[in-house]
Amino acid sequence: MDSILGRSKGAVHAIDGVDLTIGRGEIVALVGESGSGKTTVGRVITKLVQPTGGRLVFDGIDMTSVQGFSALRPYRHRVQMIFQDAYQALNPRHTIFDAVAEPLRSLKLVSSESQLTERVSEALSAAGLNPPQEYFTRFPHELSGGQRQRVVVAGALVVKPDLIVADEPVSMLDVSIRAQILQALIDMRAKQNLALLFITHDLPLAWLIADRIAVMYLGRVVEIGSADDIIFNPKHPYTMALRDATPQLPADGRPSGIKALQGDVPSAARVPKGCRFHPRCPLALDRCKVEDPPALEVGKEHLAACWQAN
Amino acid sequence: MTEVVAGPRRHVRLRATKEFFSRLFERVGAWVGVAALAFFLILAAIPGPIVGPLETAATASGDFLTPPDSQHILGTDEVGRDVLNVVVHGARISLTIALIATVISLIVGTTVGITSGYYGGRVDVWLMRLTDFFFIVPSFVLALVIAPVFVEVIGRGREVLGFRTSLFVIVVVIGLTSWAFVARLIRSQTLSLRERPFVDRARVAGSSDLSIMIRHVLPNLVPQIAANGALVVAGAIYTETALSFIGLGDPVQPSWGTLLSLAQQAGAASAGAWWYLGAPGACVLTVSLAFVLLGNALDDTFNPRRRAIP
């Protein structure tokens, strides 16, 4: 009744207990179903939402409580984001030049118009839009979906950041264009030692591009490890089920024996007691219903939040 | 390089503007509205060359209340002034008051609406309560209350921005009472715009709140502002006429409302002097209708899927 009257007071923890480290020049993939909170992790890292708890440390500096656009400028210079929906992420009334130049202008990274033009051209080329001058005066509605996504990528690359949070950057694109965008990102990593948090629901893609994979379920990272470990040697039953449900992955001859998952992800407003995965877990024990498993070390740099991971 | 970039960019905008106008003038309403407005704007701009200087009781040449004839196309009033002469001069006063009041109303309404919608929360609540207050303030009562105070403070015969004091009161009153409608409309649009990913992108690019409001939200509000601005002018002309009719106008700078008021006092209706009441009345109707037609045409052109509410 309270919620009908708009008086609902229960707080929803979209993410809870996410422990994630990204090294310099590393590509970490964050994998999970819709509603698992992976986008929220990205929004916390890019300071678009303020977390109620926890810490965000970047290059040794605690960024958790830093707020306001001017205080965040140095951070924005080093951390950028690529948005999922390129149709919505560009202002329909700004030209491509203005869209890409925006971070340079608002972060005051260039001192002259010619330098601005040079940086914008460089970013557009790096994102695969050649020749860049052709695009300067175009508006987003004059471009194809793939071209728009490249503009979004260029807008993130233009400040030469250290970390880019890419929220499903290729999920809305054709397969042929996907490869080009991914290649642009991988090239930038090689060139600028760029770190990437790659948010996706696509497990094969994560395996392909990432050094490490973190699997999220209902707001928590349930397993994290090197890409090969997660795909070929998963320890958490949720990861196993995800893996087995993805036929495109190369078979390693050892099906995990997990049946397809039943039911839906529970609402984040009513997270199950104990292990949050136990209602859907085919291996659940009595212990899982009462005690929430911590992240247990199951291998070299491989953690899984499951009582039976060993 | 800058010139090379700026040139084509201006060209792109020009092309878009041309396209817009060609679509606008596919509508009959736009033609009728613009033609009527152009006619009255010419009258308002150069009344002298068309009908000579404004006649007063001292310079009046005709007989009292004569019906239209070859010498006085629209007859004469109760002191022998040519009705055509005073109506043409009235156009200048009526249109100027309406347009300035509309500009005030659009500036205040847009500022309040964007601020309220963008910041939300407490700012929104307080600004909207303020808006509610101005929504329900009747313009007549407000005018009656502030007119004497204003005249007392400024002095009766003085001019503010080229208006005699009492006319300035009308401008202020119309401006104050009509912005609430604009603010509500702009707020609702801003609420939807601020959730768009390009606003998040601008934030990650390091733009300040002010720059997001001006560079990202405002340009996307132009259709609403233009279409409703035209409707606000129509309302302002009515209000100006009504306020002048009840005696708040200035007899030295007569507007159409003042003329209607004078006609009524002179007993034009009972004396059968239809030309004296009819001429300013027809002008008010035509101009209001022209603005409504233009506003609806603009609205349809900007957003063909939504029918305008006149």
Side-chain angles (χ1 to χ4, degrees), chain B residues 76-89:
Chain B
T76 60
D77 68 0
E78 80 281 7
V79 292
R81 291 188 294 178
D82 182 34
V83 171
L84 179 66
N85 177 286
V86 284
V87 165
V88 169
H89 280 277

Side-chain angles (χ1 to χ4, degrees), chain B residues 13-239:
Chain B
R13 301 231 185 259
L14 194 71
R15 198 181 63 209
T17 317
K18 264 188 195 157
E19 235 167 73
F20 173 78
F21 279 111
S22 75
R23 272 191 298 138
L24 177 67
F25 285 113
E26 282 167 18
R27 287 161 211 285
V28 182
W31 273 113
V32 176
V34 168
L37 289 181
F39 175 70
F40 279 102
L41 282 175
I42 290 169
L43 293 191
I46 43 163
I50 299 175
V51 292
L54 176 64
E55 289 182 15
T56 60
T59 60
S61 54
D63 275 339
F64 305 142
L65 284 179
T66 53
D69 55 28
S70 57
Q71 221 187 340
H72 301 286
I73 302 168
L74 289 175
T76 60
D77 68 0
E78 80 281 7
V79 292
R81 291 188 294 178
D82 182 34
V83 171
L84 179 66
N85 177 286
V86 284
V87 165
V88 169
H89 280 277
R92 169 174 254 176
I93 302 296
S94 280
L95 285 177
T96 319
I97 290 179
L99 290 174
I100 293 183
T102 303
V103 169
I104 295 178
S105 154
L106 287 181
I107 291 175
V108 176
T110 307
T111 313
V112 170
I114 291 188
T115 315
S116 187
Y118 182 80
Y119 285 107
R122 205 164 274 196
V123 177
D124 184 28
V125 169
W126 284 108
L127 282 178
M128 279 302 114
R129 293 299 79 77
L130 183 75
T131 309
D132 288 344
F133 174 75
F134 279 98
F135 232 140
I136 51 122
V137 168
S139 47
F140 293 99
V141 179
L142 185 66
L144 289 174
V145 171
I146 70 168
V149 179
F150 208 82
V151 170
E152 194 63 38
V153 173
I154 305 284
R156 177 161 290 279
R158 296 257 222 92
E159 287 195 358
V160 185
L161 304 171
F163 286 108
R164 287 169 55 86
T165 321
S166 52
L167 294 184
F168 194 72
V169 171
I170 294 185
V171 172
V172 170
V173 166
I174 298 176
L176 278 181
T177 50
S178 59
W179 65 264
F181 158 76
V182 180
R184 282 257 173 217
L185 242 146
I186 296 297
R187 170 182 173 268
S188 70
Q189 280 295 319
T190 309
L191 283 178
S192 108
L193 283 172
R194 72 158 184 196
E195 299 299 331
R196 303 273 288 275
F198 64 73
V199 171
D200 278 343
R201 194 181 157 259
R203 215 168 284 156
V204 172
S207 301
S208 64
D209 287 334
L210 186 68
S211 125
I212 292 176
M213 281 189 263
I214 294 174
R215 300 197 46 239
H216 287 275
V217 178
L218 189 60
N220 285 291
L221 289 171
V222 168
Q224 278 77 25
I225 295 174
N228 291 293
L231 300 180
V232 172
V233 185
I237 287 188
Y238 268 127
T239 314

Side-chain angles (χ1 to χ4, degrees), chain A residues 100-251:
Chain A
V100 178
E102 184 172 12
L104 294 177
R105 284 179 175 144
S106 49
L107 297 170
K108 302 192 168 67
L109 296 179
V110 287
S111 46
S112 68
E113 263 316 282
S114 61
Q115 210 184 343
L116 182 74
T117 315
E118 194 184 308
R119 290 282 292 267
V120 172
S121 313
E122 205 183 312
L124 284 171
S125 306
L129 292 172
N130 281 307
Q133 284 78 7
E134 292 247 319
Y135 295 91
F136 282 1
T137 58
R138 314 262 291 266
F139 284 93
H141 66 88
E142 300 173 65
L143 304 185
S144 70
Q147 287 171 325
R148 282 185 226 199
Q149 189 59 281
R150 285 162 202 239
V151 173
V152 175
V153 170
L157 292 178
V158 76
V159 303
K160 301 192 170 136
D162 295 325
L163 170 66
I164 288 185
V165 174
D167 187 2
E168 310 246 12
V170 294
S171 67
M172 304 188 87
L173 302 177
D174 289 345
V175 178
S176 55
I177 298 160
R178 280 183 181 201
Q180 296 168 355
I181 300 239
L182 292 174
Q183 195 56 49
L185 289 174
I186 292 168
D187 288 350
M188 286 320 278
R189 167 176 59 171
K191 238 188 265 175
Q192 291 176 15
N193 207 21
L194 170 78
L196 201 61
L197 178 67
F198 195 87
I199 298 170
T200 179
H201 58 259
D202 188 337
L203 204 55
L205 184 61
W207 176 65
L208 202 68
I209 190 172
D211 305 316
R212 286 193 297 143
I213 296 179
V215 181
M216 274 191 89
Y217 181 77
L218 206 54
R220 162 164 300 185
V221 173
V222 292
E223 184 166 5
I224 182 166
S226 73
D228 285 340
D229 276 347
I230 295 292
I231 300 301
F232 298 115
N233 191 19
K235 295 294 186 191
H236 196 282
Y238 178 65
T239 318
M240 295 181 201
L242 268 191
R243 211 226 83 110
D244 287 3
T246 316
Q248 307 97 302
L249 282 171

